[in-house]
């Protein structure tokens, strides 16, 4: 019986699942819109909404900031969460995230979804996602 066992396992171990959701939450905070499978998006939504609720307490609440940092593990994204997203949704009573169905993936026909913030910043979508192998080669020359 699965009584009181909420959440999907998604075919991963607990540590893998926690790390995956921490990375996805950081990516969603950074880009304010990401594309993933529908079950992952549905599981990510309450995690990020709780983080935004924490950030609404304000930038001076050190305990809330440390709780968010324990979940996301990316100090830059926690800073954005508290400095940008918290004040943006200060007057909103909830429902900061939207999940939209986005068809099916070509390779395995998995149902895809776009998860985004409701009043997102359009400019945040195409931000640099970090170093790649091509960037390292051009810098060394």
């Amino acid at each position: 019986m699965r009584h009181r066992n909420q959440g999907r396992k998604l075919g991963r171990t607990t540590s893998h699942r926690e790390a995956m959701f921490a990375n996805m939450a950081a990516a969603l905070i950074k880009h304010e819109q990401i594309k993933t499978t529908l079950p992952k998006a549905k599981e990510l939504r309450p995690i990020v909404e709780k983080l935004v609720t924490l950030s609404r307490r304000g930038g001076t609440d050190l305990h809330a900031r440390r709780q968010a940092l324990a979940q996301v593990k990316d100090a830059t994204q926690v800073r954005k969460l508290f400095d940008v997203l918290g004040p943006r949704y200060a007057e909103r009573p909830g429902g900061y995230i939207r999940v939209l169905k986005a068809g099916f993936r070509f390779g395995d026909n998995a149902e895809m979804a776009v998860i985004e913030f409701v009043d997102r910043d359009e400019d945040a979508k195409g931000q640099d996602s970090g170093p790649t192998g091509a960037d390292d080669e051009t810098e060394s020359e």
Side-chain angles (χ1 to χ4, degrees):
M1 292 179 281
R2 284 187 48 90
H3 300 308
R4 299 178 61 134
N5 291 333
Q6 292 91 1
R8 298 170 177 89
K9 291 187 177 182
L10 300 171
R12 288 162 172 80
T13 62
T14 304
S15 58
H16 184 180
R17 196 167 47 250
E18 288 172 359
M20 178 185 69
F21 284 132
N23 291 332
M24 287 177 69
L28 181 59
I29 291 167
K30 181 176 184 177
H31 299 288
E32 298 191 16
Q33 178 187 39
I34 58 173
K35 186 173 182 180
T36 183
T37 62
L38 185 63
K40 287 181 193 173
K42 286 182 176 181
E43 287 297 311
L44 181 64
R45 180 180 186 170
I47 293 170
V48 177
E49 290 204 351
K50 287 174 188 169
L51 290 171
V52 174
T53 302
L54 273 178
S55 71
R56 289 178 58 199
R57 288 198 214 165
T60 59
D61 191 350
L62 184 60
H63 181 57
R65 192 176 289 265
R66 285 179 176 166
Q67 284 179 315
L69 191 59
Q71 177 70 38
V72 177
K73 298 172 181 63
D74 188 348
T76 308
Q77 303 317 318
V78 171
R79 195 173 309 117
K80 178 181 178 183
L81 182 68
F82 278 82
D83 296 344
V84 177
L85 298 178
R88 183 189 302 170
Y89 297 111
E91 300 300 319
R92 192 178 185 92
Y96 319 111
I97 303 292
R98 165 189 307 137
V99 177
L100 303 168
K101 292 185 179 182
F104 297 92
R105 187 161 52 199
F106 177 70
D108 59 356
N109 208 30
E111 196 169 9
M112 300 300 287
V114 172
I115 182 168
E116 64 183 13
F117 282 99
V118 174
D119 298 324
R120 68 185 174 91
D121 180 19
E122 297 288 336
D123 298 331
K125 183 178 177 185
Q127 286 185 352
D128 181 30
S129 293
T132 61
D135 294 340
D136 296 336
E137 292 172 5
T138 57
E139 291 175 4
S140 62
E141 292 177 0

